[in-house]
Amino acid sequence: MSETTPMVRMAGVDKHFGELHVLRDINLEVPQGQVVVVLGPSGSGKSTLCRTINRLEPIDSGVIEIDGKTLPAEGKELARLRADVGMVFQSFNLFAHKTILENVTLAPLKVRRTGKAEAEKNGIALLERVGIANQRDKYPAQLSGGQQQRAAIARALAMKPKVMLFDEPTSALDPEMVNEVLDVMTGLAKEGMTMLVVTHEMGFARRAANRVVFMADGEIVEDATPDTFFTAPKSDRAKDFLGKIL
Ligand code: ADP
Ligand code: MG
């Protein structure tokens, strides 16, 4: 794809849950290497936005492309293209009955058909990168929340994704563990990973984001640099939101 093809492109995306119009004409392009922080009140559609990007949720209309390719609705092609999109959730979603290393090597072994030795070598390198290689033989429940979330990030990275989606990755953590996860994310951003991050961590948004997208009632209401968004929000919705959290 050409240099100008955005890594993520959403055009005219609409989605309903029954009567509820949860995404309204979403138009969003994320260029390669950009870090977009998505802000907005609870229920504004942030999680749904993330979930539509890798087709965990179907859309009613519009287009979603990853690196210029539309995700098919189902089938083998979907599994392969979906692997280009790494996702990290609020609740770490690790496999409880697999070790940390097994969690990280599972998808490469199954979906990418990587050999075992190579998958383990890559897996250990990723666990080193997120600072928990010494925990590799433990089970998720034996790790702290911060360590589990770092394992979840390593697991997503093991598929060599083109873009990483984070949906409130630190919201379930005890406060003293938030920074160890944000530090890993900041490192990824510096290395040039394309990222879409839903978070309430305003420090991270100011520090690491190239862009802030503010959602309310299923709409993108503002799309600005962090500096502009935090110092001169345009809409009443954003002013109201910032007034409550800052
Ligand atoms: P946010 O992540 O910004 O808090 P969500 O995307 O989770 O918002 O939800 C947006 C709206 O869609 C909310 O009103 C929520 O209750 C509703 N919603 C989310 N998931 C479902 C679902 N699976 N079925 C029905 N309604 C849903
Ligand atoms: Mg949410």
Side-chain angles (χ1 to χ4, degrees):
M1 287 294 143
S2 78
E3 276 172 40
T4 52
T5 305
M7 195 51 91
V8 178
R9 174 169 172 265
M10 304 179 80
V13 171
D14 275 276
K15 176 170 182 68
H16 293 75
F17 285 119
E19 297 282 284
L20 184 68
H21 199 169
V22 62
L23 295 179
R24 297 169 188 259
D25 190 25
I26 297 290
N27 295 287
L28 177 67
E29 292 194 356
V30 185
Q32 179 173 11
Q34 199 172 71
V35 178
V36 175
V37 163
V38 181
L39 302 177
S42 178
S44 56
K46 307 179 300 295
S47 293
T48 307
L49 179 88
C50 287
R51 293 167 60 82
T52 59
I53 293 175
N54 62 356
R55 281 210 187 263
L56 289 171
E57 289 285 356
I59 56 176
D60 301 336
S61 56
V63 180
I64 301 178
E65 292 171 353
I66 305 298
D67 200 12
K69 292 191 207 95
T70 308
L71 287 193
E74 54 194 22
K76 276 213 172 115
E77 185 77 349
L78 173 62
R80 210 166 53 72
L81 287 177
R82 188 182 265 163
D84 287 340
V85 183
M87 184 140 178
V88 175
F89 302 88
Q90 179 175 336
S91 52
F92 326 122
N93 292 14
L94 294 168
F95 301 111
H97 301 292
K98 296 199 179 292
T99 66
I100 296 303
L101 183 58
E102 285 166 351
N103 265 278
V104 174
T105 56
L106 189 69
L109 289 171
K110 287 209 163 159
V111 180
R112 296 277 197 225
R113 305 209 167 269
T114 311
K116 189 155 193 255
E118 194 192 334
E120 292 198 341
K121 186 165 153 267
N122 290 342
I124 290 167
L126 285 168
L127 291 174
E128 268 163 13
R129 179 164 162 194
V130 301
I132 54 167
N134 55 349
Q135 309 291 321
R136 75 185 78 153
D137 296 322
K138 291 189 181 165
Y139 288 87
Q142 295 173 290
L143 269 58
S144 73
Q147 290 172 326
Q148 288 185 58
Q149 195 58 304
R150 287 185 281 152
I153 294 171
R155 183 177 62 174
L157 292 174
M159 293 299 277
K160 302 187 167 60
K162 293 180 175 174
V163 52
M164 286 282 287
L165 310 178
F166 294 86
D167 190 3
E168 300 199 26
T170 60
S171 295
L173 297 176
D174 291 334
E176 74 271 21
M177 292 171 189
V178 167
N179 280 333
E180 66 194 56
V181 172
L182 293 179
D183 287 348
V184 168
M185 292 166 61
T186 304
L188 271 180
K190 286 202 179 118
E191 287 165 33
M193 178 62 80
T194 309
M195 296 167 49
L196 192 81
V197 183
V198 179
T199 185
H200 298 297
E201 294 294 331
M202 297 302 141
F204 177 82
R206 282 175 187 273
R207 230 176 22 249
N210 302 110
R211 209 168 131 199
V212 169
V213 164
F214 175 74
M215 288 183 75
D217 294 329
E219 262 181 302
I220 294 180
V221 177
E222 303 210 19
D223 187 338
T225 63
D227 196 41
T228 301
F229 180 75
F230 287 113
T231 58
K234 286 197 217 57
S235 63
D236 288 341
R237 297 297 309 257
K239 286 176 197 162
D240 184 51
F241 175 79
L242 289 170
K244 280 179 185 143
I245 54 155
L246 293 182

